[in-house]
Amino acid sequence: MCWSAPSARSWPRRSPTAPAGVAEANFRHTIAWESVLLLGDAPTVTAARAWRDAVWEVELLARDGSATDGLPDLLHRANEARDQFYDAARGGLGVSGGSVAQAALLVDRLYPRHSRPPAQR
């Protein structure tokens, strides 16, 4: 699936029922993203983009609220993307100590045993 960032016009407008902290969270995200762009090396920025896009997919599904069948897969992809980001960032910073990957450890929380992603069965 090809994914591009939603434009400002495509985002649903803030409604009275939207969580109060959405605007603050978006602001903090923007500041953090600018820091990654400024300080991250190319592999870290590439991995950060993949993680950001995976999280946006989860957010769009949550905002839509109509279909949740694909939610476990989207969350797993976001977890894997986060692992790849941490691996790239730690490598770029010269941090040793092995992997801090979490996606494989979180699979049991997302899937019943019979519906796990093929690599996890």
Side-chain angles (χ1 to χ4, degrees):
M1 167 168 44
C2 181
W3 177 256
S4 62
S7 71
R9 289 187 191 140
S10 69
W11 287 104
R13 298 287 182 233
R14 183 178 156 89
S15 72
T17 60
V22 170
E24 176 65 25
N26 285 335
F27 176 75
R28 287 191 323 258
H29 172 266
T30 299
I31 298 301
W33 180 246
E34 292 300 324
S35 296
V36 169
L37 292 176
L38 179 65
L39 302 172
D41 60 5
T44 299
V45 171
T46 298
R49 282 187 185 118
W51 184 21
R52 177 198 61 195
D53 291 351
V55 169
W56 271 341
E57 288 185 49
V58 172
E59 183 178 351
L60 287 174
L61 184 66
R63 285 177 186 258
D64 178 28
S66 62
T68 59
D69 293 343
L71 184 59
D73 290 336
L74 290 176
L75 289 170
H76 184 64
R77 281 199 297 265
N79 288 338
E80 289 180 322
R82 183 192 57 237
D83 288 350
Q84 292 166 0
F85 168 73
Y86 276 102
D87 185 53
R90 287 168 57 92
L93 294 169
V95 175
S96 61
S99 174
V100 295
Q102 299 293 304
L105 301 172
L106 297 171
V107 166
D108 288 337
R109 295 181 186 184
L110 296 176
Y111 300 97
R113 288 221 179 264
H114 67 279
S115 68
R116 286 185 179 185
Q120 299 295 323
R121 287 188 187 145

